[in-house]
Amino acid sequence: MSRPGKKRSRATLPDKEGSAAKFTKSKTQEEEESMIPAAKERNSKPVGSGTGKTTKETCPSAQGSKQAYSHWLMKSEPESRFEKGVDVKFGIEDLKAQPNQTACWDGVRNYQARNFMRDMKVGQEAFFYHSNCKEPGIAGIIKIVKEAYPDHTQFDKKDPHYDSSSTKENPKWSMVDVQFERMTKRFIPLSELKAQHQAHRASGGPLKDMTLFTRQRLSVQPLTDEEFEFVLSLEEKPS
DNA sequence: GCCAACGTTGGC
DNA sequence: GCCAACGTTGGC
């Protein structure tokens, strides 16, 4: 999925136009596209710690303010893989090597994942998850340093994620900028998260509804505060 | 490399 | 609007 940007010649540095977070949205189309009916089954505990909040859930269709999440998990591939001739490898070490240890998270081409990126706020933290590799799992923590703005790779014909259906006037895809914060104290493998998830399904523990398992293919996903804290607590355990 | 899960597309 | 075919994700 995403190929967080490496190459940006200019986009790299945090931008220039302030927070361009939302381009004009013409109401009619735009966020909508979540087309995934189930978007809300995780009813239980959201909470946003941060701010906002409000709105309880369920607003029928239109937009609805959903619950505010404040923690995320973002997947990226740490091993080389070529897509249309371009290596999409981008592990946490690649992020650390960027100027200012910051990169734009480009290449996301799934509406639900995109919409979650549009909900991200500066300062929020996310787990950097290594996918499609020898040892999948959580490698570190990153933070959002720039809110959603148009993903330039959608307009680049040579980019593996070029989208001929998108226009500059009404860009379809967004990205955020993220900065390396730290490695987790130890690598937290998927196998361990899965074992916890399974145990919690039986016991009602904090990972019982973790999106990593309930929507396995989603590359950008929210975590409740409780999920985030629990995963962090695993750092302290001897593996 | 296999293949299950699941999102997207397009015919009707 | 339904749904089968198809394509992609990503663990194993």
PDB file of all heavy atoms in Angstrom, chain A residues 51-80:
ATOM      1  N   THR A  51      -9.911  16.171  22.116  1.00  0.00           N
ATOM      2  CA  THR A  51     -10.547  17.207  21.915  1.00  0.00           C
ATOM      3  C   THR A  51     -11.691  16.935  21.400  1.00  0.00           C
ATOM      4  O   THR A  51     -12.191  16.213  21.279  1.00  0.00           O
ATOM      5  CB  THR A  51      -9.894  17.832  20.996  1.00  0.00           C
ATOM      6  OG1 THR A  51      -9.593  17.563  20.607  1.00  0.00           O
ATOM      7  CG2 THR A  51      -9.498  18.044  20.613  1.00  0.00           C
ATOM      8  N   GLY A  52     -12.232  17.448  20.782  1.00  0.00           N
ATOM      9  CA  GLY A  52     -13.258  17.185  20.161  1.00  0.00           C
ATOM     10  C   GLY A  52     -14.200  16.317  20.502  1.00  0.00           C
ATOM     11  O   GLY A  52     -14.863  16.425  21.135  1.00  0.00           O
ATOM     12  N   LYS A  53     -14.467  15.503  20.081  1.00  0.00           N
ATOM     13  CA  LYS A  53     -15.355  14.621  20.504  1.00  0.00           C
ATOM     14  C   LYS A  53     -16.643  14.954  20.384  1.00  0.00           C
ATOM     15  O   LYS A  53     -17.006  15.695  19.894  1.00  0.00           O
ATOM     16  CB  LYS A  53     -15.207  14.429  21.769  1.00  0.00           C
ATOM     17  CG  LYS A  53     -15.731  14.976  22.438  1.00  0.00           C
ATOM     18  CD  LYS A  53     -15.291  15.186  23.309  1.00  0.00           C
ATOM     19  CE  LYS A  53     -14.273  14.914  23.753  1.00  0.00           C
ATOM     20  NZ  LYS A  53     -13.722  14.443  23.521  1.00  0.00           N
ATOM     21  N   THR A  54     -17.551  14.521  20.818  1.00  0.00           N
ATOM     22  CA  THR A  54     -18.774  14.860  20.605  1.00  0.00           C
ATOM     23  C   THR A  54     -19.461  14.180  19.765  1.00  0.00           C
ATOM     24  O   THR A  54     -19.312  13.511  19.290  1.00  0.00           O
ATOM     25  CB  THR A  54     -18.675  15.903  20.090  1.00  0.00           C
ATOM     26  OG1 THR A  54     -18.674  15.925  19.796  1.00  0.00           O
ATOM     27  CG2 THR A  54     -18.175  16.151  19.715  1.00  0.00           C
ATOM     28  N   THR A  55     -20.494  14.396  19.357  1.00  0.00           N
ATOM     29  CA  THR A  55     -21.243  13.669  18.575  1.00  0.00           C
ATOM     30  C   THR A  55     -21.251  12.338  18.765  1.00  0.00           C
ATOM     31  O   THR A  55     -20.493  11.642  18.462  1.00  0.00           O
ATOM     32  CB  THR A  55     -20.735  13.733  17.336  1.00  0.00           C
ATOM     33  OG1 THR A  55     -20.018  14.428  17.267  1.00  0.00           O
ATOM     34  CG2 THR A  55     -21.490  13.745  16.528  1.00  0.00           C
ATOM     35  N   LYS A  56     -22.078  11.805  19.185  1.00  0.00           N
ATOM     36  CA  LYS A  56     -22.076  10.467  19.415  1.00  0.00           C
ATOM     37  C   LYS A  56     -22.126   9.669  18.262  1.00  0.00           C
ATOM     38  O   LYS A  56     -22.186   9.357  17.743  1.00  0.00           O
ATOM     39  CB  LYS A  56     -23.194  10.163  20.098  1.00  0.00           C
ATOM     40  CG  LYS A  56     -23.207  10.627  21.032  1.00  0.00           C
ATOM     41  CD  LYS A  56     -23.146  10.807  21.942  1.00  0.00           C
ATOM     42  CE  LYS A  56     -22.778  10.834  23.080  1.00  0.00           C
ATOM     43  NZ  LYS A  56     -22.732  10.455  23.673  1.00  0.00           N
ATOM     44  N   GLU A  57     -22.328   9.219  17.575  1.00  0.00           N
ATOM     45  CA  GLU A  57     -22.241   8.362  16.518  1.00  0.00           C
ATOM     46  C   GLU A  57     -23.332   8.401  15.680  1.00  0.00           C
ATOM     47  O   GLU A  57     -23.993   9.207  15.552  1.00  0.00           O
ATOM     48  CB  GLU A  57     -22.253   7.111  17.018  1.00  0.00           C
ATOM     49  CG  GLU A  57     -23.219   6.972  17.793  1.00  0.00           C
ATOM     50  CD  GLU A  57     -23.453   5.730  18.125  1.00  0.00           C
ATOM     51  OE1 GLU A  57     -23.051   5.012  17.730  1.00  0.00           O
ATOM     52  OE2 GLU A  57     -24.114   5.394  18.818  1.00  0.00           O
ATOM     53  N   THR A  58     -23.582   7.605  15.035  1.00  0.00           N
ATOM     54  CA  THR A  58     -24.571   7.539  14.158  1.00  0.00           C
ATOM     55  C   THR A  58     -25.237   8.598  13.589  1.00  0.00           C
ATOM     56  O   THR A  58     -26.335   8.843  13.794  1.00  0.00           O
ATOM     57  CB  THR A  58     -25.607   6.875  14.748  1.00  0.00           C
ATOM     58  OG1 THR A  58     -25.298   6.378  15.722  1.00  0.00           O
ATOM     59  CG2 THR A  58     -26.047   6.017  14.011  1.00  0.00           C
ATOM     60  N   CYS A  59     -24.781   9.316  12.754  1.00  0.00           N
ATOM     61  CA  CYS A  59     -25.537  10.180  12.018  1.00  0.00           C
ATOM     62  C   CYS A  59     -25.751   9.450  10.827  1.00  0.00           C
ATOM     63  O   CYS A  59     -24.887   9.020  10.236  1.00  0.00           O
ATOM     64  CB  CYS A  59     -24.791  11.281  11.607  1.00  0.00           C
ATOM     65  SG  CYS A  59     -24.464  12.266  12.701  1.00  0.00           S
ATOM     66  N   PRO A  60     -26.838   9.321  10.350  1.00  0.00           N
ATOM     67  CA  PRO A  60     -27.120   8.561   9.190  1.00  0.00           C
ATOM     68  C   PRO A  60     -26.179   8.756   8.111  1.00  0.00           C
ATOM     69  O   PRO A  60     -25.108   8.514   8.142  1.00  0.00           O
ATOM     70  CB  PRO A  60     -28.392   9.073   8.821  1.00  0.00           C
ATOM     71  CG  PRO A  60     -28.886   9.707   9.966  1.00  0.00           C
ATOM     72  CD  PRO A  60     -27.853   9.893  10.930  1.00  0.00           C
ATOM     73  N   SER A  61     -26.437   9.067   7.111  1.00  0.00           N
ATOM     74  CA  SER A  61     -25.510   9.057   6.118  1.00  0.00           C
ATOM     75  C   SER A  61     -24.686  10.212   5.992  1.00  0.00           C
ATOM     76  O   SER A  61     -23.607  10.298   6.240  1.00  0.00           O
ATOM     77  CB  SER A  61     -26.190   9.005   4.944  1.00  0.00           C
ATOM     78  OG  SER A  61     -27.179   9.657   5.042  1.00  0.00           O
ATOM     79  N   ALA A  62     -24.952  11.128   5.637  1.00  0.00           N
ATOM     80  CA  ALA A  62     -24.163  12.141   5.295  1.00  0.00           C
ATOM     81  C   ALA A  62     -23.050  12.352   6.134  1.00  0.00           C
ATOM     82  O   ALA A  62     -22.987  12.606   7.077  1.00  0.00           O
ATOM     83  CB  ALA A  62     -24.963  13.232   5.552  1.00  0.00           C
ATOM     84  N   GLN A  63     -22.003  12.353   5.928  1.00  0.00           N
ATOM     85  CA  GLN A  63     -21.017  12.747   6.755  1.00  0.00           C
ATOM     86  C   GLN A  63     -20.950  12.539   8.137  1.00  0.00           C
ATOM     87  O   GLN A  63     -20.253  12.225   8.647  1.00  0.00           O
ATOM     88  CB  GLN A  63     -20.960  14.071   6.589  1.00  0.00           C
ATOM     89  CG  GLN A  63     -20.768  14.684   7.416  1.00  0.00           C
ATOM     90  CD  GLN A  63     -19.716  15.442   7.375  1.00  0.00           C
ATOM     91  OE1 GLN A  63     -19.509  15.789   6.985  1.00  0.00           O
ATOM     92  NE2 GLN A  63     -18.913  15.780   7.810  1.00  0.00           N
ATOM     93  N   GLY A  64     -21.622  12.684   8.906  1.00  0.00           N
ATOM     94  CA  GLY A  64     -21.565  12.378  10.191  1.00  0.00           C
ATOM     95  C   GLY A  64     -20.338  12.568  10.827  1.00  0.00           C
ATOM     96  O   GLY A  64     -19.359  12.261  10.428  1.00  0.00           O
ATOM     97  N   SER A  65     -20.287  13.134  11.889  1.00  0.00           N
ATOM     98  CA  SER A  65     -19.067  13.266  12.448  1.00  0.00           C
ATOM     99  C   SER A  65     -18.836  12.055  13.113  1.00  0.00           C
ATOM    100  O   SER A  65     -19.568  11.658  13.870  1.00  0.00           O
ATOM    101  CB  SER A  65     -19.239  14.194  13.462  1.00  0.00           C
ATOM    102  OG  SER A  65     -20.434  14.252  13.742  1.00  0.00           O
ATOM    103  N   LYS A  66     -17.821  11.460  12.883  1.00  0.00           N
ATOM    104  CA  LYS A  66     -17.643  10.205  13.515  1.00  0.00           C
ATOM    105  C   LYS A  66     -16.951  10.416  14.769  1.00  0.00           C
ATOM    106  O   LYS A  66     -16.587  11.459  15.118  1.00  0.00           O
ATOM    107  CB  LYS A  66     -16.804   9.406  12.701  1.00  0.00           C
ATOM    108  CG  LYS A  66     -16.336  10.255  11.768  1.00  0.00           C
ATOM    109  CD  LYS A  66     -15.647   9.756  10.784  1.00  0.00           C
ATOM    110  CE  LYS A  66     -15.923   9.328   9.624  1.00  0.00           C
ATOM    111  NZ  LYS A  66     -15.697   8.702   8.903  1.00  0.00           N
ATOM    112  N   GLN A  67     -16.739   9.463  15.457  1.00  0.00           N
ATOM    113  CA  GLN A  67     -16.054   9.613  16.679  1.00  0.00           C
ATOM    114  C   GLN A  67     -14.677  10.049  16.417  1.00  0.00           C
ATOM    115  O   GLN A  67     -14.113   9.731  15.438  1.00  0.00           O
ATOM    116  CB  GLN A  67     -15.964   8.307  17.264  1.00  0.00           C
ATOM    117  CG  GLN A  67     -15.676   7.436  16.210  1.00  0.00           C
ATOM    118  CD  GLN A  67     -16.057   6.059  16.569  1.00  0.00           C
ATOM    119  OE1 GLN A  67     -16.794   5.477  16.009  1.00  0.00           O
ATOM    120  NE2 GLN A  67     -15.571   5.498  17.466  1.00  0.00           N
ATOM    121  N   ALA A  68     -14.137  10.775  17.317  1.00  0.00           N
ATOM    122  CA  ALA A  68     -12.798  11.234  17.052  1.00  0.00           C
ATOM    123  C   ALA A  68     -11.772  10.253  17.586  1.00  0.00           C
ATOM    124  O   ALA A  68     -11.744   9.975  18.760  1.00  0.00           O
ATOM    125  CB  ALA A  68     -12.617  12.578  17.727  1.00  0.00           C
ATOM    126  N   TYR A  69     -10.962   9.782  16.752  1.00  0.00           N
ATOM    127  CA  TYR A  69      -9.873   8.913  17.199  1.00  0.00           C
ATOM    128  C   TYR A  69      -8.649   9.776  17.371  1.00  0.00           C
ATOM    129  O   TYR A  69      -8.509  10.808  16.716  1.00  0.00           O
ATOM    130  CB  TYR A  69      -9.574   7.868  16.133  1.00  0.00           C
ATOM    131  CG  TYR A  69     -10.617   6.782  16.051  1.00  0.00           C
ATOM    132  CD1 TYR A  69     -11.581   6.787  15.048  1.00  0.00           C
ATOM    133  CD2 TYR A  69     -10.643   5.751  16.989  1.00  0.00           C
ATOM    134  CE1 TYR A  69     -12.529   5.777  14.965  1.00  0.00           C
ATOM    135  CE2 TYR A  69     -11.598   4.748  16.913  1.00  0.00           C
ATOM    136  CZ  TYR A  69     -12.530   4.759  15.901  1.00  0.00           C
ATOM    137  OH  TYR A  69     -13.460   3.764  15.826  1.00  0.00           O
ATOM    138  N   SER A  70      -7.739   9.323  18.198  1.00  0.00           N
ATOM    139  CA  SER A  70      -6.520  10.114  18.333  1.00  0.00           C
ATOM    140  C   SER A  70      -5.248   9.296  18.178  1.00  0.00           C
ATOM    141  O   SER A  70      -4.163   9.823  18.304  1.00  0.00           O
ATOM    142  CB  SER A  70      -6.522  10.856  19.661  1.00  0.00           C
ATOM    143  OG  SER A  70      -6.713   9.954  20.714  1.00  0.00           O
ATOM    144  N   HIS A  71      -5.389   8.016  17.913  1.00  0.00           N
ATOM    145  CA  HIS A  71      -4.212   7.183  17.675  1.00  0.00           C
ATOM    146  C   HIS A  71      -4.449   6.308  16.458  1.00  0.00           C
ATOM    147  O   HIS A  71      -5.592   5.956  16.165  1.00  0.00           O
ATOM    148  CB  HIS A  71      -3.913   6.294  18.893  1.00  0.00           C
ATOM    149  CG  HIS A  71      -3.544   7.075  20.114  1.00  0.00           C
ATOM    150  ND1 HIS A  71      -4.458   7.441  21.072  1.00  0.00           N
ATOM    151  CD2 HIS A  71      -2.359   7.601  20.501  1.00  0.00           C
ATOM    152  CE1 HIS A  71      -3.853   8.149  22.013  1.00  0.00           C
ATOM    153  NE2 HIS A  71      -2.581   8.273  21.696  1.00  0.00           N
ATOM    154  N   TRP A  72      -3.363   5.960  15.791  1.00  0.00           N
ATOM    155  CA  TRP A  72      -3.470   5.298  14.491  1.00  0.00           C
ATOM    156  C   TRP A  72      -2.441   4.206  14.315  1.00  0.00           C
ATOM    157  O   TRP A  72      -1.469   4.137  15.070  1.00  0.00           O
ATOM    158  CB  TRP A  72      -3.271   6.354  13.381  1.00  0.00           C
ATOM    159  CG  TRP A  72      -4.077   7.577  13.620  1.00  0.00           C
ATOM    160  CD1 TRP A  72      -3.676   8.724  14.263  1.00  0.00           C
ATOM    161  CD2 TRP A  72      -5.458   7.788  13.282  1.00  0.00           C
ATOM    162  NE1 TRP A  72      -4.721   9.622  14.330  1.00  0.00           N
ATOM    163  CE2 TRP A  72      -5.817   9.085  13.742  1.00  0.00           C
ATOM    164  CE3 TRP A  72      -6.427   7.011  12.631  1.00  0.00           C
ATOM    165  CZ2 TRP A  72      -7.095   9.618  13.561  1.00  0.00           C
ATOM    166  CZ3 TRP A  72      -7.701   7.556  12.456  1.00  0.00           C
ATOM    167  CH2 TRP A  72      -8.019   8.840  12.917  1.00  0.00           C
ATOM    168  N   LEU A  73      -2.658   3.413  13.277  1.00  0.00           N
ATOM    169  CA  LEU A  73      -1.651   2.405  12.895  1.00  0.00           C
ATOM    170  C   LEU A  73      -1.523   2.535  11.386  1.00  0.00           C
ATOM    171  O   LEU A  73      -2.531   2.570  10.667  1.00  0.00           O
ATOM    172  CB  LEU A  73      -2.117   0.999  13.303  1.00  0.00           C
ATOM    173  CG  LEU A  73      -1.143  -0.140  12.949  1.00  0.00           C
ATOM    174  CD1 LEU A  73      -1.222  -1.265  14.001  1.00  0.00           C
ATOM    175  CD2 LEU A  73      -1.446  -0.719  11.563  1.00  0.00           C
ATOM    176  N   MET A  74      -0.289   2.654  10.929  1.00  0.00           N
ATOM    177  CA  MET A  74      -0.046   2.850   9.495  1.00  0.00           C
ATOM    178  C   MET A  74       0.917   1.774   9.000  1.00  0.00           C
ATOM    179  O   MET A  74       1.981   1.557   9.567  1.00  0.00           O
ATOM    180  CB  MET A  74       0.522   4.260   9.265  1.00  0.00           C
ATOM    181  CG  MET A  74      -0.440   5.326   9.824  1.00  0.00           C
ATOM    182  SD  MET A  74       0.183   7.027   9.780  1.00  0.00           S
ATOM    183  CE  MET A  74      -0.187   7.475   8.080  1.00  0.00           C
ATOM    184  N   LYS A  75       0.498   1.117   7.932  1.00  0.00           N
ATOM    185  CA  LYS A  75       1.294   0.006   7.408  1.00  0.00           C
ATOM    186  C   LYS A  75       2.199   0.458   6.276  1.00  0.00           C
ATOM    187  O   LYS A  75       1.802   1.259   5.432  1.00  0.00           O
ATOM    188  CB  LYS A  75       0.370  -1.080   6.850  1.00  0.00           C
ATOM    189  CG  LYS A  75      -0.577  -1.685   7.864  1.00  0.00           C
ATOM    190  CD  LYS A  75      -1.444  -2.738   7.162  1.00  0.00           C
ATOM    191  CE  LYS A  75      -2.469  -3.339   8.085  1.00  0.00           C
ATOM    192  NZ  LYS A  75      -3.374  -4.297   7.350  1.00  0.00           N
ATOM    193  N   SER A  76       3.384  -0.116   6.263  1.00  0.00           N
ATOM    194  CA  SER A  76       4.300   0.144   5.157  1.00  0.00           C
ATOM    195  C   SER A  76       5.208  -1.073   5.021  1.00  0.00           C
ATOM    196  O   SER A  76       5.380  -1.841   5.962  1.00  0.00           O
ATOM    197  CB  SER A  76       5.111   1.416   5.443  1.00  0.00           C
ATOM    198  OG  SER A  76       5.839   1.801   4.301  1.00  0.00           O
ATOM    199  N   GLU A  77       5.758  -1.235   3.840  1.00  0.00           N
ATOM    200  CA  GLU A  77       6.554  -2.422   3.567  1.00  0.00           C
ATOM    201  C   GLU A  77       8.048  -2.150   3.675  1.00  0.00           C
ATOM    202  O   GLU A  77       8.573  -1.323   2.947  1.00  0.00           O
ATOM    203  CB  GLU A  77       6.228  -2.939   2.158  1.00  0.00           C
ATOM    204  CG  GLU A  77       4.743  -3.210   1.968  1.00  0.00           C
ATOM    205  CD  GLU A  77       4.409  -3.798   0.602  1.00  0.00           C
ATOM    206  OE1 GLU A  77       5.233  -4.550   0.050  1.00  0.00           O
ATOM    207  OE2 GLU A  77       3.324  -3.482   0.075  1.00  0.00           O
ATOM    208  N   PRO A  78       8.718  -2.868   4.564  1.00  0.00           N
ATOM    209  CA  PRO A  78      10.144  -2.633   4.783  1.00  0.00           C
ATOM    210  C   PRO A  78      11.052  -3.393   3.830  1.00  0.00           C
ATOM    211  O   PRO A  78      12.264  -3.217   3.868  1.00  0.00           O
ATOM    212  CB  PRO A  78      10.352  -3.117   6.222  1.00  0.00           C
ATOM    213  CG  PRO A  78       9.355  -4.217   6.376  1.00  0.00           C
ATOM    214  CD  PRO A  78       8.166  -3.829   5.531  1.00  0.00           C
ATOM    215  N   GLU A  79      10.480  -4.243   3.013  1.00  0.00           N
ATOM    216  CA  GLU A  79      11.310  -5.027   2.094  1.00  0.00           C
ATOM    217  C   GLU A  79      11.011  -4.623   0.658  1.00  0.00           C
ATOM    218  O   GLU A  79       9.893  -4.225   0.338  1.00  0.00           O
ATOM    219  CB  GLU A  79      11.020  -6.528   2.292  1.00  0.00           C
ATOM    220  CG  GLU A  79      11.427  -6.995   3.689  1.00  0.00           C
ATOM    221  CD  GLU A  79      11.013  -8.435   3.998  1.00  0.00           C
ATOM    222  OE1 GLU A  79      10.525  -9.142   3.094  1.00  0.00           O
ATOM    223  OE2 GLU A  79      11.185  -8.843   5.163  1.00  0.00           O
ATOM    224  N   SER A  80      11.995  -4.745  -0.184  1.00  0.00           N
ATOM    225  CA  SER A  80      11.819  -4.337  -1.578  1.00  0.00           C
ATOM    226  C   SER A  80      10.725  -5.116  -2.287  1.00  0.00           C
ATOM    227  O   SER A  80      10.610  -6.330  -2.146  1.00  0.00           O
ATOM    228  CB  SER A  80      13.119  -4.531  -2.364  1.00  0.00           C
ATOM    229  OG  SER A  80      14.020  -3.497  -2.048  1.00  0.00           O
TER     230      SER A  80
END
